[in-house]
Amino acid sequence: MAQERILVVDSDSGVLELCLRSLRAEGYVVEGATSGHQAIEIARREQFDLLLVDIMLNGLEVYQAIKEFTPEIVGVIITGSERTEEIIKALQLGFDDFVVKPFTPDWLSSTVAKALNKRRLERENVRLWTLMPLFELSKDFLATLDLNSLLDQIVQTGLQETKADRASLMLLEGQELVVKASVGLPSEIAAAARDKVGQGIAGWVAGRGEPLLLADGASLNPQIREAMTREEIASALCVPLVVKDKVVGVLNLSKLGEGPAFTQGDLEFVSILGGEAAIAIEKARLYQEAIEEKRKTETILEETFNGIVVVDSDMRITAFNPGAETITGYVSKNVLGRRLSEVFGPEVGGDDSLLQKAASTGERVAPQEVVISGKLGARDALLGITPLYDSGGKVFGYLLSFADITHLKEVDRLKSNIVANVSHELRAPLASIKAYTELLLDELEGDDRDLRQRFLKVIDQETDRLTELLGGLLDLSRLEAGQFVMKKEPLQVGEMVADTFGLFDIQAQESKISLHADIQPDLPPIMADRELVNVLIKNLVGNAIKFSNEGGRVDVVAREEGANLILSVIDQGMGIPPDDLPHIFEKFYRVWSTTESGIKGVGLGLVLAKEAAEAHGGQIEVESELGVGSRFIVTLPIGEQVDEQ
Ligand code: ADP
């Protein structure tokens, strides 16, 4: 315990000397004064636990004056034997005991010890009483996890229990203390109040990490004195809030008026309150951080397109996010608790799986391509696995993160197909163009005009083929990217069929194929995009001729049916094998037998025809029998007629 401090006031230097010596011998820190005035001056500068004062030096007034700023000080009066009345009065006014001159050192020291002891007991008592509400409070604090209401509760308690006029709680933000809760403080002051560490009363306390009790308006520190005057504070009490040896804030209490100043008991109470508050604040902060962290993680899990699945060390599913639901088709509640291998199949959860690899090495498995067997069938996925460790370094589960790459793989396959088909189709015409150009460059013998014409014709046809191929690819990409702007106009389908026949005339003649159009005579015009309908008719008629045998026949029939135009393109050609039928509208799909027989094409014609029909809200169906022929039936809405002005 710190040494107790005594101030002795006596004008008789003999008595003063005796007191100083005998009390110092008892282990007290003792100061002497020879007048009441001098005593008050000394007591202003330093704190004392006990005042021993001669009654002849206005002892009563001196005691009361010092009590103003040191309310806890114990008073012992020195008096003459005959002054019984004065002794009674002194005791009534709050002195704790008295010694009568002449006294022995023993008497003095036992009186002083008794008085200090009595005060100590009183203090203990007070402390016990203050501990009771604190005990109740700390229970409340620990139950409060909402930081703001906790801070309000702390300032309210501080204010009520110390009868302060103002209370505020400031928390450290960087090097600044910011008011987070207050009572009795005008809100604009509270909002603007910021103390830097080391500045102002709160800053001083935060800087030192020690409580401060200013019982009167005075302080030795001019900076604090100035702050008190500025804020019209009569008495201030400020304690640091300390968590793990680090100041996190301060609790400020102040009294403004003339009433009694804060006492040592108040300081003790507020110090304990501050201790409890600091722990509760830290707990609420950690809780809030944990909640925020949890929300963040939950949002990520909810919103990510990736599948996230957590399994425990038994490989049973403990978490299954919406991304995983979308990819696999399973609903979270139906798979939680089930073994991963049962749900995802052997490649992910089985004996020789990536999960087992993660389990045996205890290390992260970098993303790899696997096949996940979901409810929606097999999906290609890129899967990475990370073991989850507890704080003791033990694996308690695994986190599986995967992306559905089925579509990407399909695109990849298509891309390879495109590259293979397109490069093949580009190379053939380019090769003939190159060959015939070289022949022409080599100068034909005798400048054979006919031969030159033939060569140039081949070059011309091959160039057309190239243009057509590239055009088809471009049309397709435009249609698929949704960039194609449709221009609808009334179209006479009969005329368009006739134009197409004209286009294929030579080709048909070469193969002795006859072309027949059967167009309903009063067929109304359809509202459609000319370019697209052209693509549609051209590709179907072209195919019908291409896949017909020599001497065959191609029919185009157009009829109005309800609100639709039904256009059928019929041939008596080779037909399509039933297994291929569902695929012929896929990009670059060609029936193997037709490709083998050397018939040219890239597998885009039907895709384009289908896109063109669907762009108008129509459709294409196909009926075919191998060796007998095929019939492509297009349905197109006739559409509302707009009179051409
Ligand atoms: P391409 O004609 O360039 O090969 P398409 O997309 O027009 O491409 O046709 C896809 C495939 O469908 C053709 O390769 C062919 O095998 C088959 N096919 C299309 N039309 C017919 C038809 N009228 N008769 C027989 N097979 C056809």
Side-chain angles (χ1 to χ4, degrees), residues 418-469:
I418 294 173
V419 173
N421 281 297
V422 171
S423 33
H424 176 261
E425 288 306 314
L426 286 175
R427 192 168 292 145
L430 273 178
S432 18
I433 292 170
K434 174 87 180 147
Y436 284 98
T437 314
E438 273 173 5
L439 281 175
L440 286 171
L441 284 173
D442 281 349
E443 297 282 335
L444 294 166
E445 252 176 70
D447 194 15
D448 183 338
R449 213 179 131 73
D450 284 351
L451 203 57
R452 182 202 300 253
Q453 276 308 109
R454 259 180 47 214
F455 286 1
L456 283 172
K457 198 167 168 218
V458 174
I459 293 174
D460 187 48
Q461 277 171 353
E462 293 298 300
T463 315
D464 284 348
R465 223 173 110 197
L466 274 180
T467 312
E468 196 183 338
L469 173 67

Side-chain angles (χ1 to χ4, degrees), residues 425 539-548 569-571 573-577 580 583-595 599-609 622 624 629-632:
E425 288 306 314
N539 277 297
L540 294 182
V541 172
N543 278 351
I545 298 170
K546 201 159 66 170
F547 298 110
S548 283
V569 180
I570 308 146
D571 66 63
M574 57 180 55
I576 302 161
D580 293 294
H583 300 289
I584 54 168
F585 292 100
E586 291 170 12
K587 264 173 249 169
F588 298 104
Y589 192 90
R590 307 197 68 214
V591 177
W592 185 77
S593 51
T594 57
T595 324
I599 300 172
K600 296 208 160 35
V602 273
L604 284 180
L606 288 181
V607 184
L608 281 168
V622 57
S624 186
S630 311
R631 173 193 292 260
F632 287 81

Side-chain angles (χ1 to χ4, degrees), residues 375-413:
K375 203 179 174 187
L376 302 174
R379 308 294 295 174
D380 292 306
L382 204 58
L383 168 80
I385 301 181
T386 311
L388 302 169
Y389 287 91
D390 64 16
S391 50
K394 224 178 117 225
V395 172
F396 68 89
Y398 300 89
L399 184 133
L400 289 85
S401 159
F402 52 97
D404 189 352
I405 55 165
T406 313
H407 185 63
L408 285 181
K409 291 208 58 152
E410 174 64 14
V411 170
D412 206 41
R413 191 184 64 75

Side-chain angles (χ1 to χ4, degrees), residues 223-459:
Q223 187 199 334
I224 292 179
R225 209 162 50 223
E226 189 272 321
M228 288 183 79
T229 322
R230 178 165 29 89
E231 292 175 34
E232 298 172 351
I233 295 170
S235 161
L237 209 173
C238 184
V239 294
L241 306 175
V242 182
V243 178
K244 289 188 199 127
D245 293 337
K246 247 184 77 190
V247 175
V248 295
V250 290
L251 178 58
N252 299 303
L253 295 156
S254 50
K255 294 191 178 192
L256 308 176
E258 292 288 299
F262 289 116
T263 64
Q264 205 64 34
D266 290 334
L267 177 65
E268 248 166 70
F269 173 81
V270 178
S271 299
I272 299 172
L273 176 68
E276 299 278 351
I279 294 168
I281 289 170
E282 191 60 11
K283 216 182 94 199
R285 254 190 191 169
L286 287 176
Y287 181 75
Q288 247 174 27
E289 273 172 26
I291 293 274
E292 281 163 18
E293 201 54 43
K294 189 161 168 267
R295 290 223 178 101
K296 230 164 49 192
T297 316
E298 277 172 359
T299 313
I300 293 171
L301 285 182
E302 292 285 318
E303 296 299 324
T304 177
F305 295 123
N306 278 2
I308 307 278
V309 173
V310 179
V311 295
D312 61 16
S313 49
D314 247 2
M315 309 305 176
R316 289 185 186 280
I317 297 173
T318 58
F320 203 83
N321 80 332
E325 290 185 340
T326 312
I327 295 172
T328 62
Y330 287 115
V331 178
S332 159
K333 67 175 191 315
N334 296 338
V335 291
L336 289 179
R338 284 176 59 192
R339 278 186 179 282
L340 190 74
S341 53
E342 288 170 24
V343 178
F344 275 19
E347 205 175 323
V348 177
D351 288 344
D352 205 18
S353 63
L354 287 188
L355 185 59
Q356 286 308 328
K357 191 172 162 200
S360 60
T361 59
E363 282 174 15
R364 176 175 177 269
V365 177
Q368 290 182 23
E369 275 186 29
V370 291
V371 175
I372 291 178
S373 59
K375 203 179 174 187
L376 302 174
R379 308 294 295 174
D380 292 306
L382 204 58
L383 168 80
I385 301 181
T386 311
L388 302 169
Y389 287 91
D390 64 16
S391 50
K394 224 178 117 225
V395 172
F396 68 89
Y398 300 89
L399 184 133
L400 289 85
S401 159
F402 52 97
D404 189 352
I405 55 165
T406 313
H407 185 63
L408 285 181
K409 291 208 58 152
E410 174 64 14
V411 170
D412 206 41
R413 191 184 64 75
L414 273 178
K415 233 169 57 189
S416 316
N417 260 349
I418 294 173
V419 173
N421 281 297
V422 171
S423 33
H424 176 261
E425 288 306 314
L426 286 175
R427 192 168 292 145
L430 273 178
S432 18
I433 292 170
K434 174 87 180 147
Y436 284 98
T437 314
E438 273 173 5
L439 281 175
L440 286 171
L441 284 173
D442 281 349
E443 297 282 335
L444 294 166
E445 252 176 70
D447 194 15
D448 183 338
R449 213 179 131 73
D450 284 351
L451 203 57
R452 182 202 300 253
Q453 276 308 109
R454 259 180 47 214
F455 286 1
L456 283 172
K457 198 167 168 218
V458 174
I459 293 174

